[in-house]
Amino acid sequence: MNASVLPLNNTTPLCYSINRPPFNYNHTIASAHFSAVFGALGLISNLIAFVVLLKSFQQTHSRSRSFFLIFLGGLVVTDFMGLLVTGSIVVSFHVTRFNWREIDPNCHFCNFMGMSMVFYGLCPLLLSASMALERFIGINHPFAHSTSMPKRRTISMVLMVWFIAGCIALLPLTGLGSYHIQMPGSWCFFNISSKGNDLVFSLLFSLVGLSSITMSFLLNTVSVVTLIKVCCGQDSNQRRRDYEVEMMVQLILIMVIGSASWCPLLVFIAQTVLSGANVKVEYLLLWIRLATWNQILDPWVYILFRRAVLKRIYPRFNWSRGSIMTLYPSLSDTIRRYTRSSIGTMASDETG
């Protein structure tokens, strides 16, 4: 790493013990322009999404949709605050080029930013898994969902996600892992290392993120299959499924964006610590920047993929039937025949 050589003594704070500022590192991806553009775009996107969600929440009369909107609201607030906190520090460094050792001799500021990076990184993944669980229960067990899921419990689940992510972010302050300043000197993150407690915390961060993505994928897959059977089965006209389809489309897109944004970084961390190799700064900066896209793209899922917008884009869609499969009649007939044959086979087996 291209840092200036400073004498390391017993009074060197922990966050400067590995990478010691000032740094001599110039790269396009670490420039002030990238940070400013990414931060501004993300903040504006989340503000627009928050207004859209607030209007949708005031107009909705569906309990399941109101639960889902509460989760989306928590996700928007988390993404907005994450960009605001971390982006302000990064842009301020690029503009002023302040000396970390002078303004933060005891590592309090660096620890705060490291905690923010971990907290606001894990929250979207954990919230996505919680939303997948809520939709799984709402689609597969609608009666139990409507009787046992008041709005206060949904809010409590969002607060619980924030609490879990906060506890994980505090672990390096207790000795499990450690926060260090990272190149080019504009941000702090936990030490990605294969030694001691740093190895444990690196694997914990990576496994929690990957487990959340895996859980979202499995639950969403089951929910989509169930929703298709309901839309195309015998009870397709018994109740409207517009909002269920809309929520599942949004949730799947959130899962895809989160997976594409975070999997490279999570896999990179796990692979680095398990192989015992040194951290490659270029790749770390690249995957961190890619993970930032999650907070920028998520809001546009709520802004664009709504029934009101889709009606304007595709006005020929027969929204009155409440089934997305009206766009594909042949596929609808195929799934309907498959569903009925499956039900008939199960009934004959039970009779036998």
Side-chain angles (χ1 to χ4, degrees), residues 261-277:
S261 302
W262 277 98
C263 277
L265 177 62
L266 297 173
V267 173
F268 170 77
I269 293 174
Q271 184 179 9
T272 300
V273 297
L274 291 177
S275 64

Side-chain angles (χ1 to χ4, degrees), residues 18-155:
I18 297 177
N19 304 320
R20 283 166 283 164
F23 297 97
N24 181 21
Y25 183 84
N26 297 317
H27 197 284
T28 304
I29 200 173
S31 65
H33 301 290
F34 267 81
S35 303
V37 171
F38 272 65
L41 181 60
L43 291 175
I44 294 173
S45 301
N46 281 281
L47 282 176
I48 297 174
F50 185 78
V51 174
V52 171
L53 288 176
L54 187 60
K55 291 183 179 180
S56 299
F57 186 81
Q58 294 173 347
Q59 296 173 357
T60 186
H61 300 288
S62 171
R63 287 175 58 88
S64 60
R65 180 168 169 77
S66 64
F67 299 154
F68 188 74
L69 291 176
I70 291 174
F71 278 110
L72 288 181
L75 189 56
V76 168
V77 172
T78 302
D79 288 341
F80 179 84
M81 292 303 301
L83 288 170
L84 181 64
V85 172
T86 59
S88 300
I89 299 174
V90 173
V91 174
S92 298
F93 171 82
H94 286 298
V95 172
T96 63
R97 290 290 175 176
F98 58 79
N99 191 322
W100 284 83
R101 294 292 295 267
E102 293 180 357
I103 69 170
D104 187 31
N106 298 317
C107 292
H108 298 315
F109 191 48
C110 184
N111 288 334
F112 169 75
M113 186 177 186
M115 291 171 54
S116 300
M117 293 289 292
V118 172
F119 176 80
Y120 292 114
L122 289 178
C123 274
L125 301 178
L126 293 173
L127 282 173
S128 179
S130 301
M131 293 162 62
L133 178 62
E134 187 273 338
R135 281 290 78 216
F136 174 82
I137 298 175
I139 292 176
N140 293 274
H141 306 284
F143 179 76
H145 180 267
S146 61
T147 57
S148 63
M149 275 288 288
K151 291 182 180 179
R152 286 180 299 178
R153 184 171 299 180
T154 307
I155 298 175

Side-chain angles (χ1 to χ4, degrees), residues 157-178:
M157 291 179 65
V158 176
L159 296 177
M160 181 61 66
V161 168
W162 289 344
F163 177 76
I164 294 173
C167 290
I168 296 176
L170 286 171
L171 288 177
L173 301 184
T174 64
L176 185 62
S178 55

Side-chain angles (χ1 to χ4, degrees), residues 52-326:
V52 171
L53 288 176
L54 187 60
K55 291 183 179 180
S56 299
F57 186 81
Q58 294 173 347
Q59 296 173 357
T60 186
H61 300 288
S62 171
R63 287 175 58 88
S64 60
R65 180 168 169 77
S66 64
F67 299 154
F68 188 74
L69 291 176
I70 291 174
F71 278 110
L72 288 181
L75 189 56
V76 168
V77 172
T78 302
D79 288 341
F80 179 84
M81 292 303 301
L83 288 170
L84 181 64
V85 172
T86 59
S88 300
I89 299 174
V90 173
V91 174
S92 298
F93 171 82
H94 286 298
V95 172
T96 63
R97 290 290 175 176
F98 58 79
N99 191 322
W100 284 83
R101 294 292 295 267
E102 293 180 357
I103 69 170
D104 187 31
N106 298 317
C107 292
H108 298 315
F109 191 48
C110 184
N111 288 334
F112 169 75
M113 186 177 186
M115 291 171 54
S116 300
M117 293 289 292
V118 172
F119 176 80
Y120 292 114
L122 289 178
C123 274
L125 301 178
L126 293 173
L127 282 173
S128 179
S130 301
M131 293 162 62
L133 178 62
E134 187 273 338
R135 281 290 78 216
F136 174 82
I137 298 175
I139 292 176
N140 293 274
H141 306 284
F143 179 76
H145 180 267
S146 61
T147 57
S148 63
M149 275 288 288
K151 291 182 180 179
R152 286 180 299 178
R153 184 171 299 180
T154 307
I155 298 175
S156 300
M157 291 179 65
V158 176
L159 296 177
M160 181 61 66
V161 168
W162 289 344
F163 177 76
I164 294 173
C167 290
I168 296 176
L170 286 171
L171 288 177
L173 301 184
T174 64
L176 185 62
S178 55
Y179 291 120
H180 292 266
I181 191 169
Q182 307 289 333
M183 286 192 177
S186 59
W187 62 299
C188 290
F189 200 49
F190 62 85
N191 185 35
I192 303 175
S193 172
S194 58
K195 298 180 181 178
N197 292 329
D198 290 334
L199 167 65
V200 176
F201 186 79
S202 299
L203 288 178
L204 175 64
F205 179 85
S206 180
L207 290 177
V208 169
L210 292 174
S211 299
S212 300
I213 293 174
T214 303
M215 178 179 175
S216 300
F217 177 79
L218 295 176
L219 293 178
N220 288 335
T221 301
V222 176
S223 298
V224 168
V225 172
T226 303
L227 188 58
I228 290 177
K229 289 182 178 181
V230 171
C231 288
C232 303
Q234 296 176 347
D235 62 340
S236 60
N237 295 321
Q238 291 183 6
R239 55 174 176 165
R240 293 176 60 84
R241 287 286 170 177
D242 294 351
Y243 288 121
E244 282 86 349
V245 172
E246 177 189 15
M247 288 185 288
M248 281 309 307
V249 169
Q250 292 177 347
L251 187 55
I252 290 173
L253 289 175
I254 292 172
M255 178 192 68
V256 171
I257 292 172
S259 301
S261 302
W262 277 98
C263 277
L265 177 62
L266 297 173
V267 173
F268 170 77
I269 293 174
Q271 184 179 9
T272 300
V273 297
L274 291 177
S275 64
N278 294 325
V279 178
K280 296 182 179 180
V281 180
E282 293 80 6
Y283 287 109
L284 178 60
L285 290 174
L286 177 62
W287 302 142
I288 284 287
R289 189 68 70 193
L290 181 62
T292 307
W293 276 102
N294 183 41
Q295 299 169 313
I296 298 174
L297 295 178
D298 269 350
W300 291 102
V301 172
Y302 334 134
I303 296 171
L304 298 179
F305 292 88
R306 295 178 295 122
R307 293 173 68 247
V309 177
L310 294 177
K311 283 181 180 180
R312 297 177 183 178
I313 297 176
Y314 206 104
R316 293 186 302 169
F317 185 86
N318 188 6
W319 292 92
S320 60
R321 284 187 58 186
S323 172
I324 195 172
M325 302 307 291
T326 54

